Amino acid sequence: MLIGGINTFSMIDYPDKTSCIVFTVSCNLRCPFCHNPEFVLPEKIQEIKNDLIPQKVFLNFLEKRKGLLQGVSICGGEPTLQKDLFDFCEKIKEMGFLIKLDTNGQDPKILNELIKNKLIDYIAMDIKYPFYKYNEMLGVKNLNIESYKKSINIIINSNINYEFRTTVIKGFHSIEIFEDTVKEIKGANNFFIQNYQSGKTLDNDFTGKSFTNKELQDLQKIAYKYINNVGIRN
């Protein structure tokens, strides 16, 4: 596993669980608003290659957290690009921890295998825009949109806890674009609207802004037309 960083304790990343967060490196997308460019851009990854955390070091850390942590959140980057993800999850599960996987949904086959082999307990999948905007807005051309649709179907029909989530950015997510985004996951159980926060971004010239609380609540009302449970993370 190529581990770029670890957050040793979180009470919010894994819903209702105490967890640590593992940040894997590499991603198939180039979202201009991404806050983790050091884990995405090859030239940035090259700069931190000597600081990558060996898997053994992380597992030793986890061994000492038995009884203190309930779960491990694996995010990135995009974790499903890691060749030894299955082995990594198996080792964590053998230690008695729950696993939450954060993904953009780029590889439905891997998601299906992880679920089938009971290697993950919670999935959080990002729905960034309606799929007709993906090739325009995510910095990569010729994405296989059907793969993302298959991932949604696999997650919704799985027997594990899950959430879909969209980071909404003022100036980029109009009411129409937001509603079309939510339609992509119509019938899902859980959806979270995440308000964009300014900070470092993959594109240094990115100019997105946050929504107001009132505007977020208006978006929530729209989402409720399609989703059973809709939360706001401001």
Side-chain angles (χ1 to χ4, degrees), residues 148-190:
Y148 296 90
K149 292 180 179 180
K150 288 179 182 177
S151 290
I152 290 172
N153 186 60
I154 287 169
I155 292 170
I156 289 179
N157 289 289
S158 72
N159 60 352
I160 67 173
N161 292 324
Y162 69 85
E163 68 181 59
F164 296 100
R165 58 197 186 185
T166 298
T167 297
V168 291
I169 309 166
K170 198 168 186 177
F172 292 84
H173 287 90
S174 65
I175 295 296
E176 179 183 12
I177 290 297
F178 175 78
E179 185 160 3
D180 285 350
T181 302
V182 178
K183 287 178 181 177
E184 302 286 8
I185 53 168
K186 182 179 179 180
N189 288 332
N190 299 299

Coordinates of all heavy atoms in Angstrom, one line a residue, residues 148-190:
Y148 N -19.1 4.0 -13.2 CA -19.6 4.7 -12.0 C -21.0 4.4 -11.8 O -21.4 4.2 -10.6 CB -19.4 6.2 -12.3 CG -18.0 6.7 -12.4 CD1 -17.3 6.7 -13.6 CD2 -17.2 7.0 -11.2 CE1 -16.0 7.1 -13.7 CE2 -15.9 7.3 -11.3 CZ -15.3 7.4 -12.6 OH -13.9 7.7 -12.7
K149 N -21.8 4.2 -12.8 CA -23.2 3.8 -12.7 C -23.3 2.4 -12.1 O -24.1 2.1 -11.2 CB -23.9 3.9 -14.0 CG -24.1 5.3 -14.6 CD -24.8 5.3 -15.9 CE -25.0 6.7 -16.4 NZ -25.7 6.7 -17.7
K150 N -22.4 1.5 -12.5 CA -22.4 0.1 -11.9 C -22.0 0.2 -10.5 O -22.6 -0.6 -9.7 CB -21.4 -0.7 -12.7 CG -21.9 -1.1 -14.1 CD -20.8 -2.0 -14.8 CE -21.3 -2.3 -16.2 NZ -20.2 -3.1 -17.0
S151 N -21.1 1.0 -10.1 CA -20.7 1.1 -8.7 C -21.9 1.6 -7.8 O -22.1 1.1 -6.7 CB -19.5 2.1 -8.5 OG -18.4 1.6 -9.1
I152 N -22.7 2.5 -8.3 CA -23.8 3.0 -7.6 C -24.8 1.9 -7.4 O -25.3 1.6 -6.3 CB -24.5 4.1 -8.4 CG1 -23.7 5.4 -8.3 CG2 -25.9 4.4 -7.8 CD1 -24.2 6.5 -9.2
N153 N -25.1 1.1 -8.4 CA -26.0 0.0 -8.3 C -25.5 -1.1 -7.4 O -26.3 -1.6 -6.6 CB -26.2 -0.6 -9.7 CG -27.3 -1.7 -9.7 OD1 -28.4 -1.4 -9.4 ND2 -26.9 -2.9 -10.1
I154 N -24.2 -1.4 -7.4 CA -23.7 -2.4 -6.5 C -23.8 -1.9 -5.0 O -24.2 -2.7 -4.1 CB -22.2 -2.6 -6.8 CG1 -22.0 -3.4 -8.1 CG2 -21.5 -3.3 -5.7 CD1 -20.6 -3.5 -8.6
I155 N -23.5 -0.6 -4.8 CA -23.6 -0.1 -3.4 C -25.0 -0.1 -2.9 O -25.3 -0.6 -1.8 CB -23.0 1.3 -3.4 CG1 -21.5 1.2 -3.6 CG2 -23.3 2.0 -2.0 CD1 -20.8 2.6 -3.8
I156 N -25.9 0.4 -3.7 CA -27.3 0.5 -3.3 C -27.9 -0.9 -3.0 O -28.7 -1.1 -2.1 CB -28.2 1.2 -4.3 CG1 -27.8 2.7 -4.3 CG2 -29.7 1.0 -4.1 CD1 -28.6 3.5 -5.4
N157 N -27.5 -1.9 -3.7 CA -28.0 -3.3 -3.6 C -27.2 -4.1 -2.6 O -27.4 -5.3 -2.5 CB -28.2 -3.9 -4.9 CG -29.3 -3.3 -5.8 OD1 -30.5 -3.5 -5.5 ND2 -28.9 -2.5 -6.8
S158 N -26.2 -3.5 -2.0 CA -25.4 -4.3 -1.1 C -26.1 -4.4 0.3 O -27.1 -3.8 0.5 CB -24.0 -3.6 -0.9 OG -24.1 -2.4 -0.1
N159 N -25.5 -5.2 1.2 CA -26.1 -5.4 2.5 C -25.3 -4.7 3.6 O -25.3 -5.0 4.7 CB -26.2 -6.9 2.8 CG -24.9 -7.6 2.8 OD1 -23.9 -7.0 2.4 ND2 -24.9 -8.8 3.2
I160 N -24.5 -3.7 3.1 CA -23.6 -3.0 4.1 C -24.1 -1.5 4.1 O -24.8 -1.0 3.3 CB -22.1 -3.1 3.8 CG1 -21.8 -2.4 2.5 CG2 -21.7 -4.5 3.7 CD1 -20.3 -2.3 2.2
N161 N -23.7 -0.8 5.2 CA -24.0 0.6 5.3 C -23.2 1.4 4.3 O -22.1 1.1 3.9 CB -23.6 1.1 6.7 CG -24.5 0.5 7.8 OD1 -25.7 0.2 7.6 ND2 -23.9 0.2 9.0
Y162 N -23.9 2.4 3.8 CA -23.2 3.3 2.8 C -23.8 4.7 2.8 O -24.8 5.0 3.4 CB -23.5 2.7 1.4 CG -24.9 2.7 0.9 CD1 -25.4 3.9 0.3 CD2 -25.8 1.7 1.1 CE1 -26.7 3.9 -0.2 CE2 -27.1 1.7 0.6 CZ -27.6 2.9 0.0 OH -28.9 2.9 -0.4
E163 N -23.1 5.5 2.1 CA -23.5 6.9 1.9 C -23.0 7.4 0.5 O -21.9 6.9 0.1 CB -23.1 7.9 2.9 CG -21.6 8.1 2.9 CD -21.1 9.1 4.0 OE1 -21.4 8.8 5.2 OE2 -20.5 10.1 3.7
F164 N -23.8 8.2 -0.1 CA -23.3 9.0 -1.3 C -23.1 10.4 -0.8 O -23.8 10.9 0.2 CB -24.2 8.9 -2.4 CG -24.4 7.5 -3.0 CD1 -25.4 6.7 -2.7 CD2 -23.4 7.0 -3.9 CE1 -25.6 5.4 -3.2 CE2 -23.5 5.7 -4.4 CZ -24.6 4.9 -4.0
R165 N -22.2 11.2 -1.4 CA -22.0 12.5 -1.0 C -21.6 13.4 -2.1 O -20.9 12.9 -3.1 CB -21.0 12.6 0.1 CG -19.7 12.0 -0.3 CD -18.8 11.6 0.9 NE -17.5 11.2 0.5 CZ -16.5 10.8 1.3 NH1 -16.8 10.7 2.6 NH2 -15.4 10.4 0.9
T166 N -22.0 14.7 -2.1 CA -21.5 15.6 -3.1 C -21.0 16.9 -2.4 O -21.7 17.4 -1.5 CB -22.7 16.0 -4.0 OG1 -23.2 14.9 -4.7 CG2 -22.3 17.1 -5.0
T167 N -19.8 17.3 -2.7 CA -19.3 18.5 -2.3 C -19.8 19.6 -3.2 O -19.5 19.7 -4.4 CB -17.7 18.5 -2.3 OG1 -17.3 17.5 -1.4 CG2 -17.2 19.9 -1.8
V168 N -20.7 20.5 -2.7 CA -21.3 21.5 -3.5 C -20.5 22.8 -3.5 O -20.0 23.2 -2.4 CB -22.7 21.8 -3.0 CG1 -23.6 20.6 -3.4 CG2 -22.8 22.1 -1.6
I169 N -20.3 23.4 -4.6 CA -19.4 24.5 -4.8 C -20.2 25.6 -5.5 O -20.7 25.5 -6.6 CB -18.2 24.2 -5.7 CG1 -17.5 22.9 -5.1 CG2 -17.2 25.3 -5.7 CD1 -16.5 22.3 -6.0
K170 N -20.3 26.7 -4.8 CA -21.1 27.9 -5.3 C -20.4 28.4 -6.6 O -19.2 28.6 -6.6 CB -21.2 29.0 -4.3 CG -22.3 30.0 -4.6 CD -22.6 30.9 -3.4 CE -23.7 31.8 -3.6 NZ -24.1 32.6 -2.4
G171 N -21.1 28.6 -7.6 CA -20.5 29.0 -8.9 C -20.3 27.8 -9.9 O -20.1 28.0 -11.1
F172 N -20.4 26.6 -9.3 CA -20.3 25.4 -10.1 C -21.5 24.5 -10.0 O -21.8 23.8 -11.0 CB -19.0 24.7 -9.7 CG -17.7 25.4 -10.0 CD1 -17.2 26.4 -9.2 CD2 -17.0 25.2 -11.2 CE1 -16.1 27.1 -9.5 CE2 -15.9 25.9 -11.5 CZ -15.4 26.8 -10.6
H173 N -22.1 24.4 -8.9 CA -23.3 23.6 -8.7 C -24.5 24.5 -8.7 O -24.9 25.0 -7.6 CB -23.2 22.8 -7.4 CG -22.3 21.7 -7.5 ND1 -21.0 21.8 -7.1 CD2 -22.4 20.4 -7.9 CE1 -20.3 20.6 -7.3 NE2 -21.2 19.8 -7.7
S174 N -25.1 24.7 -9.8 CA -26.4 25.5 -9.9 C -27.5 24.6 -9.4 O -27.3 23.4 -9.1 CB -26.7 25.8 -11.4 OG -26.9 24.7 -12.1
I175 N -28.7 25.1 -9.2 CA -29.8 24.3 -8.7 C -30.0 23.1 -9.7 O -30.3 22.0 -9.3 CB -31.1 25.2 -8.6 CG1 -30.9 26.2 -7.5 CG2 -32.3 24.3 -8.3 CD1 -30.8 25.7 -6.1
E176 N -30.0 23.4 -11.0 CA -30.2 22.4 -12.0 C -29.2 21.3 -12.0 O -29.5 20.1 -12.0 CB -30.3 23.0 -13.4 CG -30.5 22.0 -14.5 CD -30.5 22.6 -15.9 OE1 -30.1 23.8 -16.0 OE2 -30.9 21.9 -16.8
I177 N -27.9 21.7 -11.9 CA -26.8 20.8 -11.8 C -26.9 19.9 -10.6 O -26.7 18.7 -10.6 CB -25.4 21.5 -11.9 CG1 -25.2 22.1 -13.3 CG2 -24.3 20.6 -11.6 CD1 -25.2 21.1 -14.4
F178 N -27.2 20.6 -9.5 CA -27.3 19.8 -8.2 C -28.4 18.8 -8.3 O -28.3 17.6 -7.9 CB -27.6 20.7 -7.0 CG -27.8 20.0 -5.7 CD1 -26.8 19.4 -5.0 CD2 -29.1 19.8 -5.2 CE1 -27.0 18.7 -3.9 CE2 -29.3 19.1 -4.1 CZ -28.3 18.6 -3.4
E179 N -29.6 19.2 -8.8 CA -30.7 18.2 -8.9 C -30.4 17.1 -9.8 O -30.7 15.9 -9.5 CB -32.0 19.0 -9.3 CG -33.2 18.0 -9.3 CD -34.5 18.8 -9.3 OE1 -34.5 20.0 -9.3 OE2 -35.6 18.1 -9.2
D180 N -29.7 17.4 -10.9 CA -29.3 16.3 -11.9 C -28.3 15.4 -11.2 O -28.3 14.2 -11.5 CB -28.8 16.9 -13.1 CG -29.8 17.5 -14.1 OD1 -31.0 17.3 -13.8 OD2 -29.5 18.2 -15.0
T181 N -27.5 15.9 -10.3 CA -26.5 15.1 -9.6 C -27.2 14.1 -8.7 O -27.0 12.9 -8.7 CB -25.6 15.9 -8.8 OG1 -24.9 16.9 -9.6 CG2 -24.6 15.1 -8.0
V182 N -28.2 14.6 -8.0 CA -29.0 13.7 -7.0 C -29.8 12.7 -7.8 O -29.9 11.5 -7.3 CB -29.9 14.6 -6.1 CG1 -30.7 13.7 -5.2 CG2 -29.0 15.6 -5.3
K183 N -30.3 13.0 -8.9 CA -31.0 12.0 -9.7 C -30.2 10.8 -10.1 O -30.8 9.7 -10.3 CB -31.5 12.7 -11.0 CG -32.7 13.7 -10.8 CD -33.1 14.3 -12.2 CE -34.2 15.3 -12.0 NZ -34.5 15.9 -13.3
E184 N -28.9 10.9 -10.1 CA -28.0 9.8 -10.4 C -28.1 8.7 -9.4 O -27.8 7.6 -9.6 CB -26.6 10.3 -10.6 CG -26.3 11.3 -11.7 CD -26.4 10.8 -13.1 OE1 -26.8 9.6 -13.3 OE2 -26.1 11.5 -14.0
I185 N -28.5 9.1 -8.2 CA -28.6 8.1 -7.1 C -30.0 8.0 -6.5 O -30.2 7.7 -5.3 CB -27.5 8.5 -5.9 CG1 -27.7 9.9 -5.5 CG2 -26.1 8.2 -6.4 CD1 -27.0 10.3 -4.2
K186 N -30.9 8.3 -7.3 CA -32.3 8.2 -6.9 C -32.6 6.9 -6.2 O -32.3 5.8 -6.7 CB -33.3 8.4 -8.1 CG -34.7 8.4 -7.8 CD -35.6 8.6 -9.0 CE -37.1 8.6 -8.7 NZ -37.9 8.8 -9.9
G187 N -33.3 7.0 -5.0 CA -33.6 5.8 -4.3 C -32.6 5.3 -3.3 O -32.8 4.4 -2.6
A188 N -31.5 6.0 -3.2 CA -30.4 5.6 -2.2 C -30.9 5.9 -0.8 O -31.8 6.8 -0.6 CB -29.2 6.4 -2.5
N189 N -30.4 5.3 0.1 CA -30.8 5.5 1.5 C -30.2 6.7 2.2 O -30.9 7.5 2.9 CB -30.4 4.3 2.4 CG -31.2 3.1 2.1 OD1 -32.4 3.2 1.7 ND2 -30.7 1.9 2.3
N190 N -28.9 7.0 1.9 CA -28.2 8.1 2.6 C -27.4 9.0 1.6 O -26.7 8.4 0.8 CB -27.3 7.5 3.6 CG -28.0 6.7 4.7 OD1 -28.8 7.2 5.4 ND2 -27.6 5.4 4.8

